[in-house]
mmCIF file of all heavy atoms in Angstrom:
data_model
loop_
_atom_site.group_PDB
_atom_site.id
_atom_site.type_symbol
_atom_site.label_atom_id
_atom_site.label_comp_id
_atom_site.label_asym_id
_atom_site.label_seq_id
_atom_site.Cartn_x
_atom_site.Cartn_y
_atom_site.Cartn_z
ATOM 1 N N PHE A 415 -92.647 7.587 116.346
ATOM 2 C CA PHE A 415 -91.515 7.625 115.415
ATOM 3 C C PHE A 415 -90.601 8.789 115.774
ATOM 4 O O PHE A 415 -91.052 9.909 115.985
ATOM 5 C CB PHE A 415 -92.006 7.792 113.979
ATOM 6 C CG PHE A 415 -90.896 7.969 112.982
ATOM 7 C CD1 PHE A 415 -90.225 6.879 112.464
ATOM 8 C CD2 PHE A 415 -90.507 9.241 112.565
ATOM 9 C CE1 PHE A 415 -89.188 7.042 111.549
ATOM 10 C CE2 PHE A 415 -89.483 9.417 111.660
ATOM 11 C CZ PHE A 415 -88.821 8.309 111.154
ATOM 12 N N ARG A 416 -89.288 8.526 115.847
ATOM 13 C CA ARG A 416 -88.317 9.562 116.132
ATOM 14 C C ARG A 416 -87.089 9.407 115.230
ATOM 15 O O ARG A 416 -86.701 8.291 114.865
ATOM 16 C CB ARG A 416 -87.875 9.494 117.604
ATOM 17 C CG ARG A 416 -88.973 9.858 118.597
ATOM 18 C CD ARG A 416 -89.349 11.326 118.469
ATOM 19 N NE ARG A 416 -90.399 11.719 119.396
ATOM 20 C CZ ARG A 416 -91.678 11.848 119.067
ATOM 21 N NH1 ARG A 416 -92.059 11.569 117.818
ATOM 22 N NH2 ARG A 416 -92.570 12.241 119.951
ATOM 23 N N LEU A 417 -86.484 10.558 114.900
ATOM 24 C CA LEU A 417 -85.242 10.582 114.126
ATOM 25 C C LEU A 417 -84.052 10.704 115.074
ATOM 26 O O LEU A 417 -84.199 11.118 116.226
ATOM 27 C CB LEU A 417 -85.247 11.767 113.153
ATOM 28 C CG LEU A 417 -86.248 11.709 112.005
ATOM 29 C CD1 LEU A 417 -86.253 13.037 111.245
ATOM 30 C CD2 LEU A 417 -85.938 10.554 111.049
ATOM 31 N N ASN A 418 -82.877 10.387 114.567
ATOM 32 C CA ASN A 418 -81.666 10.449 115.374
ATOM 33 C C ASN A 418 -81.348 11.893 115.758
ATOM 34 O O ASN A 418 -81.242 12.776 114.911
ATOM 35 C CB ASN A 418 -80.491 9.841 114.601
ATOM 36 C CG ASN A 418 -79.206 9.880 115.398
ATOM 37 O OD1 ASN A 418 -79.232 9.791 116.623
ATOM 38 N ND2 ASN A 418 -78.083 10.018 114.719
ATOM 39 N N PRO A 494 -83.567 6.841 118.350
ATOM 40 C CA PRO A 494 -84.395 6.955 117.152
ATOM 41 C C PRO A 494 -85.019 5.616 116.759
ATOM 42 O O PRO A 494 -84.567 4.549 117.189
ATOM 43 C CB PRO A 494 -83.400 7.434 116.092
ATOM 44 C CG PRO A 494 -82.089 6.869 116.540
ATOM 45 C CD PRO A 494 -82.123 6.939 118.041
ATOM 46 N N THR A 495 -86.069 5.691 115.945
ATOM 47 C CA THR A 495 -86.703 4.483 115.419
ATOM 48 C C THR A 495 -85.789 3.857 114.365
ATOM 49 O O THR A 495 -85.507 4.484 113.348
ATOM 50 C CB THR A 495 -88.060 4.819 114.783
ATOM 51 O OG1 THR A 495 -88.861 5.527 115.724
ATOM 52 C CG2 THR A 495 -88.772 3.550 114.333
ATOM 53 N N PRO A 496 -85.309 2.645 114.563
ATOM 54 C CA PRO A 496 -84.386 2.042 113.586
ATOM 55 C C PRO A 496 -85.095 1.689 112.289
ATOM 56 O O PRO A 496 -86.256 1.261 112.297
ATOM 57 C CB PRO A 496 -83.883 0.784 114.312
ATOM 58 C CG PRO A 496 -84.941 0.471 115.312
ATOM 59 C CD PRO A 496 -85.547 1.770 115.722
ATOM 60 N N ILE A 497 -84.406 1.875 111.182
ATOM 61 C CA ILE A 497 -84.987 1.561 109.876
ATOM 62 C C ILE A 497 -85.277 0.071 109.759
ATOM 63 O O ILE A 497 -86.200 -0.342 109.056
ATOM 64 C CB ILE A 497 -84.041 2.042 108.739
ATOM 65 C CG1 ILE A 497 -84.771 2.040 107.396
ATOM 66 C CG2 ILE A 497 -82.788 1.190 108.672
ATOM 67 C CD1 ILE A 497 -85.886 3.043 107.295
ATOM 68 N N ILE A 522 -89.098 15.020 107.525
ATOM 69 C CA ILE A 522 -89.110 13.631 107.979
ATOM 70 C C ILE A 522 -89.005 12.680 106.797
ATOM 71 O O ILE A 522 -88.256 11.689 106.833
ATOM 72 C CB ILE A 522 -90.393 13.352 108.790
ATOM 73 C CG1 ILE A 522 -90.389 14.169 110.074
ATOM 74 C CG2 ILE A 522 -90.525 11.869 109.101
ATOM 75 C CD1 ILE A 522 -91.687 14.103 110.851
ATOM 76 N N VAL A 523 -89.749 12.964 105.726
ATOM 77 C CA VAL A 523 -89.680 12.120 104.528
ATOM 78 C C VAL A 523 -88.266 12.112 103.959
ATOM 79 O O VAL A 523 -87.743 11.065 103.556
ATOM 80 C CB VAL A 523 -90.693 12.599 103.469
ATOM 81 C CG1 VAL A 523 -90.471 11.893 102.134
ATOM 82 C CG2 VAL A 523 -92.119 12.361 103.955
ATOM 83 N N ALA A 524 -87.630 13.280 103.929
ATOM 84 C CA ALA A 524 -86.266 13.364 103.396
ATOM 85 C C ALA A 524 -85.298 12.510 104.211
ATOM 86 O O ALA A 524 -84.524 11.705 103.653
ATOM 87 C CB ALA A 524 -85.806 14.824 103.373
ATOM 88 N N GLN A 525 -85.317 12.671 105.530
ATOM 89 C CA GLN A 525 -84.404 11.923 106.385
ATOM 90 C C GLN A 525 -84.708 10.430 106.356
ATOM 91 O O GLN A 525 -83.799 9.589 106.293
ATOM 92 C CB GLN A 525 -84.496 12.449 107.823
ATOM 93 C CG GLN A 525 -84.046 13.886 107.988
ATOM 94 C CD GLN A 525 -82.554 14.061 107.750
ATOM 95 O OE1 GLN A 525 -81.769 13.179 108.029
ATOM 96 N NE2 GLN A 525 -82.173 15.212 107.226
ATOM 97 N N LEU A 526 -85.988 10.086 106.416
ATOM 98 C CA LEU A 526 -86.384 8.679 106.435
ATOM 99 C C LEU A 526 -86.004 7.976 105.133
ATOM 100 O O LEU A 526 -85.451 6.869 105.148
ATOM 101 C CB LEU A 526 -87.892 8.572 106.675
ATOM 102 C CG LEU A 526 -88.488 7.158 106.629
ATOM 103 C CD1 LEU A 526 -87.875 6.291 107.711
ATOM 104 C CD2 LEU A 526 -90.005 7.221 106.786
ATOM 105 N N CYS A 527 -86.294 8.614 104.000
ATOM 106 C CA CYS A 527 -85.994 7.992 102.707
ATOM 107 C C CYS A 527 -84.486 7.876 102.477
ATOM 108 O O CYS A 527 -84.018 6.914 101.860
ATOM 109 C CB CYS A 527 -86.648 8.787 101.580
ATOM 110 S SG CYS A 527 -88.452 8.681 101.592
ATOM 111 N N LEU A 528 -83.729 8.857 102.964
ATOM 112 C CA LEU A 528 -82.273 8.777 102.851
ATOM 113 C C LEU A 528 -81.751 7.586 103.655
ATOM 114 O O LEU A 528 -80.920 6.808 103.166
ATOM 115 C CB LEU A 528 -81.646 10.074 103.351
ATOM 116 C CG LEU A 528 -80.120 10.160 103.281
ATOM 117 C CD1 LEU A 528 -79.632 10.020 101.840
ATOM 118 C CD2 LEU A 528 -79.630 11.464 103.884
ATOM 119 N N ASN A 529 -82.254 7.416 104.879
ATOM 120 C CA ASN A 529 -81.853 6.277 105.700
ATOM 121 C C ASN A 529 -82.263 4.953 105.062
ATOM 122 O O ASN A 529 -81.512 3.967 105.091
ATOM 123 C CB ASN A 529 -82.469 6.388 107.100
ATOM 124 C CG ASN A 529 -81.940 7.577 107.881
ATOM 125 O OD1 ASN A 529 -80.862 8.091 107.571
ATOM 126 N ND2 ASN A 529 -82.681 8.029 108.876
ATOM 127 N N LEU A 530 -83.457 4.929 104.487
ATOM 128 C CA LEU A 530 -83.953 3.718 103.832
ATOM 129 C C LEU A 530 -83.093 3.336 102.639
ATOM 130 O O LEU A 530 -82.726 2.166 102.463
ATOM 131 C CB LEU A 530 -85.410 3.936 103.396
ATOM 132 C CG LEU A 530 -86.033 2.829 102.540
ATOM 133 C CD1 LEU A 530 -86.099 1.520 103.321
ATOM 134 C CD2 LEU A 530 -87.428 3.240 102.075
ATOM 135 N N PHE A 531 -82.756 4.318 101.811
ATOM 136 C CA PHE A 531 -81.965 4.049 100.613
ATOM 137 C C PHE A 531 -80.568 3.533 100.980
ATOM 138 O O PHE A 531 -80.074 2.572 100.388
ATOM 139 C CB PHE A 531 -81.871 5.322 99.771
ATOM 140 C CG PHE A 531 -81.211 5.123 98.431
ATOM 141 C CD1 PHE A 531 -81.662 4.165 97.552
ATOM 142 C CD2 PHE A 531 -80.133 5.911 98.045
ATOM 143 C CE1 PHE A 531 -81.067 3.983 96.314
ATOM 144 C CE2 PHE A 531 -79.528 5.737 96.828
ATOM 145 C CZ PHE A 531 -79.995 4.771 95.954
ATOM 146 N N GLU A 532 -79.948 4.164 101.982
ATOM 147 C CA GLU A 532 -78.619 3.721 102.411
ATOM 148 C C GLU A 532 -78.680 2.320 103.019
ATOM 149 O O GLU A 532 -77.801 1.484 102.778
ATOM 150 C CB GLU A 532 -78.044 4.715 103.421
ATOM 151 C CG GLU A 532 -77.731 6.089 102.841
ATOM 152 C CD GLU A 532 -76.719 6.026 101.709
ATOM 153 O OE1 GLU A 532 -75.761 5.224 101.812
ATOM 154 O OE2 GLU A 532 -76.878 6.769 100.726
ATOM 155 N N ALA A 533 -79.716 2.053 103.807
ATOM 156 C CA ALA A 533 -79.855 0.732 104.419
ATOM 157 C C ALA A 533 -80.080 -0.344 103.374
ATOM 158 O O ALA A 533 -79.562 -1.465 103.491
ATOM 159 C CB ALA A 533 -81.018 0.748 105.416
ATOM 160 N N ARG A 534 -80.832 -0.020 102.330
ATOM 161 C CA ARG A 534 -81.070 -1.021 101.276
ATOM 162 C C ARG A 534 -79.806 -1.278 100.472
ATOM 163 O O ARG A 534 -79.527 -2.415 100.091
ATOM 164 C CB ARG A 534 -82.209 -0.525 100.358
ATOM 165 C CG ARG A 534 -82.583 -1.498 99.265
ATOM 166 C CD ARG A 534 -83.085 -2.817 99.796
ATOM 167 N NE ARG A 534 -82.718 -3.913 98.888
ATOM 168 C CZ ARG A 534 -82.074 -4.999 99.254
ATOM 169 N NH1 ARG A 534 -81.685 -5.151 100.503
ATOM 170 N NH2 ARG A 534 -81.796 -5.933 98.383
ATOM 171 N N LYS A 535 -79.021 -0.246 100.221
ATOM 172 C CA LYS A 535 -77.759 -0.428 99.485
ATOM 173 C C LYS A 535 -76.803 -1.323 100.248
ATOM 174 O O LYS A 535 -76.045 -2.096 99.659
ATOM 175 C CB LYS A 535 -77.108 0.926 99.202
ATOM 176 C CG LYS A 535 -77.808 1.740 98.123
ATOM 177 C CD LYS A 535 -76.933 2.870 97.608
ATOM 178 C CE LYS A 535 -76.651 3.895 98.669
ATOM 179 N NZ LYS A 535 -75.876 5.052 98.130
ATOM 180 N N ARG A 538 -79.114 -3.972 104.679
ATOM 181 C CA ARG A 538 -79.529 -4.049 106.072
ATOM 182 C C ARG A 538 -81.028 -4.295 106.203
ATOM 183 O O ARG A 538 -81.508 -4.716 107.267
ATOM 184 C CB ARG A 538 -79.156 -2.758 106.803
ATOM 185 C CG ARG A 538 -77.654 -2.604 107.053
ATOM 186 C CD ARG A 538 -77.307 -1.175 107.450
ATOM 187 N NE ARG A 538 -78.276 -0.606 108.379
ATOM 188 C CZ ARG A 538 -78.507 0.691 108.510
ATOM 189 N NH1 ARG A 538 -77.854 1.561 107.749
ATOM 190 N NH2 ARG A 538 -79.391 1.126 109.383
ATOM 191 N N VAL A 539 -81.785 -4.022 105.146
ATOM 192 C CA VAL A 539 -83.221 -4.287 105.128
ATOM 193 C C VAL A 539 -83.547 -5.067 103.861
ATOM 194 O O VAL A 539 -82.831 -4.958 102.858
ATOM 195 C CB VAL A 539 -84.040 -2.972 105.170
ATOM 196 C CG1 VAL A 539 -83.817 -2.246 106.492
ATOM 197 C CG2 VAL A 539 -83.696 -2.071 103.994
ATOM 198 N N ILE A 566 -83.927 13.189 97.283
ATOM 199 C CA ILE A 566 -83.793 11.771 97.615
ATOM 200 C C ILE A 566 -84.860 10.946 96.907
ATOM 201 O O ILE A 566 -84.607 9.799 96.497
ATOM 202 C CB ILE A 566 -83.859 11.557 99.152
ATOM 203 C CG1 ILE A 566 -83.647 10.074 99.481
ATOM 204 C CG2 ILE A 566 -85.155 12.068 99.723
ATOM 205 C CD1 ILE A 566 -82.344 9.492 99.004
ATOM 206 N N ILE A 570 -84.164 7.734 94.477
ATOM 207 C CA ILE A 570 -84.800 6.423 94.602
ATOM 208 C C ILE A 570 -85.514 6.054 93.312
ATOM 209 O O ILE A 570 -85.477 4.898 92.867
ATOM 210 C CB ILE A 570 -85.780 6.410 95.792
ATOM 211 C CG1 ILE A 570 -85.012 6.562 97.111
ATOM 212 C CG2 ILE A 570 -86.595 5.122 95.817
ATOM 213 C CD1 ILE A 570 -85.900 6.656 98.337
ATOM 214 N N LEU A 579 -85.381 -1.570 95.666
ATOM 215 C CA LEU A 579 -86.237 -0.637 96.397
ATOM 216 C C LEU A 579 -87.212 0.008 95.423
ATOM 217 O O LEU A 579 -86.841 0.870 94.628
ATOM 218 C CB LEU A 579 -85.404 0.429 97.100
ATOM 219 C CG LEU A 579 -86.191 1.485 97.895
ATOM 220 C CD1 LEU A 579 -87.075 0.832 98.943
ATOM 221 C CD2 LEU A 579 -85.249 2.507 98.528
#
Side-chain angles (χ1 to χ4, degrees):
F415 175 83
R416 292 293 180 260
L417 292 172
N418 180 32
T495 306
I497 194 66
I522 294 172
V523 170
Q525 296 293 328
L526 176 62
C527 292
L528 181 60
N529 295 339
L530 173 63
F531 187 54
E532 293 300 321
R534 182 61 212 126
K535 287 196 295 184
R538 288 166 41 205
V539 295
I566 183 59
I570 294 176
L579 179 57

